[in-house]
Amino acid sequence: KEAEEKKDTYSTPEQHTKQEEAIEDDSYGIDFSSPPGFELEQSICTRLGIEAPEFSTTTKDITSPSDEYYVQLTGHFHCRKLILQFNVQNNIEEHKLKDITVHLENPKAGYTTVDQISSEESQYPTIVLIFEDPSRVFITETFKFKLKFTVIEVDEDGNEEGDYEDEYSLDKVSIAVSDYIGKQALANGQFMNAWEMIKQNEACAERLETFQISFKTLKEAVAGVIDFFGMSVCEGSDKVDETSKSHNLFLAGTFFGMYPVLVRGQIGFNSQYGCVLRVGVRSMNDNAIQTVLECIQ
């Protein structure tokens, strides 16, 4: 069963106020900051006319550290803008790279490149995309990028011998629902307290869903569901008794660096449907829950 279609708006002003009041209470035991990544430089914020991004993802590898160019990516989100920063490490000793820019190789309908910031202007070459549909709150898309740059050849003593233009295609970059989810661990024994405290808040939203998932063993299913959500495991619930017919899983995190999200899952096997996941999700925003449920594949 799939989650219901997302609403056009993230929340009403009244709901947003209630949610802000609720998340100011740190008794949930959850840190609402964005996960660690490359910070968006102030010069870029000024250039884009923003004080800071609404949310930043963790940094992830796009290429291998042993490749000729080791490339990492951090995504930043602000008002329908997707700001992608690339950290490029050159592993070729005889080369220096200059004026690195990022280009979208597979333009897609609904997305427009609105800015490109080179390595001469920023520590991290950056491309800024905007998605044109105002009803789309979050981007989930696969892009393909290439780097363009000037290669400066150097000798053993570091003397420059000449230069030429070159480019380097990157693997496909996927922006998934899990990129909006931050891992936020709760202290041992605190999950049910946080679960009940969210329920007591008037902004609480909850969804109960059942999914058929493709796993052959209980251990594989538990690991797979943890991977789906990308959240922190609570109460040691990643440890599986393989002799049991079912398993309870507890997960905690934040969505978009702002909304606490708690997940209670029960995984079992059914002779008719195979591996079945029954999941309850609580947060203080219903659209956050709907979007998080899209993690289940």
Side-chain angles (χ1 to χ4, degrees), residues 126-175:
T126 302
I127 186 169
V128 182
L129 305 176
I130 188 167
F131 47 115
E132 297 157 357
D133 183 352
S135 69
R136 293 199 63 184
V137 181
F138 305 108
I139 291 177
T140 52
E141 190 62 84
T142 298
F143 300 99
K144 188 166 178 58
F145 296 100
K146 65 180 175 183
L147 304 175
K148 291 186 178 182
F149 45 81
T150 300
V151 177
I152 302 173
E153 298 179 312
V154 296
D155 62 20
E156 294 181 356
D157 298 321
N159 299 314
E160 297 182 1
E161 297 184 324
D163 60 63
Y164 59 91
E165 303 301 311
D166 203 357
E167 57 185 50
Y168 185 76
S169 291
L170 301 173
D171 292 335
K172 291 180 179 179
V173 175
S174 294
I175 306 299

Side-chain angles (χ1 to χ4, degrees), residues 35 63 83 88-89 134 137 205 219 237 243:
T63 64
I83 305 158
V88 183
Q89 176 181 303
V137 181
K219 186 175 182 178
S237 59
T243 63

